[in-house]
Amino acid sequence: MAKSTGYKSRESDAQGYIQWSDEENQIWSELYERQAGLIQGRACQQYHDGLEYIGLSAHEIPQLPDLNKRLQQATGWKTAEVPALINFSEFFRLLANKEFPVATFIRTREEFDYLQEPDIFHEVYGHCPLLTNPAFAHFTHTYGKLGLNASKEDRVYLARLYWFTVEFGLVNTQEGLRIYGGGILSSPGETVYSLESDKPVRAPLDPVDALRTPYRIDIMQPLYYILPEFDDLFTLAEQDIMALVEKAKTMGLFEPRFPPKDKQASGQN
Ligand SMILES: C[C@H](O)[C@H](O)[C@H]1CNc2nc(N)[nH]c(=O)c2N1
Ligand SMILES: N[C@@H](Cc1ccccc1)C(=O)O
Ligand SMILES: [Fe+2]
């Protein structure tokens, strides 16, 4: 993966605490402040409930040992420090163990609205609130176990369905279209774009379609899949997802809806 930012991730001390700088804490607090306004009427209720439950600080980057206490209480999950984007096999191994990867760096102001790789604001603010929701936690744990036991090729398929649900999923609710994907909720720019831009396609989620849809991780998404209702994640976790992967493999991939990356073509799955 071509690193877009070349960030130096931070090491924690023996107790798992990281001494963030004032500037890093300031960026967290401004991101938190911006999203507090943008998620009103845009994030699904389950996300709001989870955000309230884990009680993240609005003023400084949360310390993982404190966050772990809240996650453990709710669903038995905890975080795992990682330097940046990790590969699929490491990623699924962590999820299979109810550990969620947290990249220990935070974006700079230049990448405030959108960042090409996951930072701590993405992992903690984007994903952790919903990890306190039983349906979401169950789906993510099930998904990790599937990925752990899958072949390298099947893991690339599994990553696509994960991408179009946990990372960039939208969901229908009584109040209208809402966001549950952590990759959207950690980006001020994409939080608005995903619901209000007329550029992206928005289609009902058919798991086999998602498995056949190539994606790029370094651009705002050209396509979002909509979950008919939130608890469909439970139903999805009970389906034979590997059978859906086999079906998708016989049908071939859809044409990408985005321009190819430059030669290295990294970040395209
Ligand atoms: C698999 C999924 O599509 C996504 O690309 C994964 C891969 N690696 C990751 N690595 C980190 N640190 N954080 C993430 O959220 C992810 N997501
Ligand atoms: N684009 C997300 C970060 C992200 C990058 C790549 C994969 C997933 C998430 C943000 O700006 O918060
Ligand atoms: Fe993510």
Side-chain angles (χ1 to χ4, degrees), residues 91 100 118 122-123 127 162-163 166-167 182-183:
F91 182 70
F100 203 85
H122 164 67
E123 325 267 30
H127 285 296
Y162 180 93
W163 185 262
V166 175
E167 286 293 1

Side-chain angles (χ1 to χ4, degrees), residues 238-258:
E238 302 318 310
Q239 284 189 35
D240 181 351
I241 293 177
M242 294 321 289
L244 298 178
V245 168
E246 288 314 310
K247 189 164 174 231
K249 282 155 76 173
T250 63
M251 298 167 82
L253 299 187
F254 291 130
E255 276 309 301
R257 293 172 182 277
F258 47 75

Side-chain angles (χ1 to χ4, degrees), residues 107 114-118 122 163 167-168 183 186-187 217:
R107 66 191 75 185
Y114 176 84
L115 181 70
Q116 294 187 336
E117 59 181 287
H122 164 67
W163 185 262
E167 286 293 1
F168 288 89
S186 60
S187 162
I217 81 161

Side-chain angles (χ1 to χ4, degrees), residues 45-56 66-79 98 100 123-140 230 234:
Q45 189 54 48
Q46 291 84 352
Y47 176 85
H48 284 289
D49 297 346
L51 187 62
E52 193 187 328
Y53 179 89
I54 56 173
L56 300 176
D66 306 334
L67 174 58
N68 290 342
K69 284 195 196 86
R70 307 297 285 150
L71 291 176
Q72 294 270 9
Q73 259 173 328
T75 49
W77 277 74
K78 60 180 184 293
T79 59
K98 288 182 133 181
F100 203 85
E123 325 267 30
V124 170
Y125 185 88
H127 285 296
C128 289
L130 277 175
L131 274 178
T132 66
N133 173 286
F136 189 91
H138 174 67
F139 175 78
T140 310
F230 191 84
F234 255 133

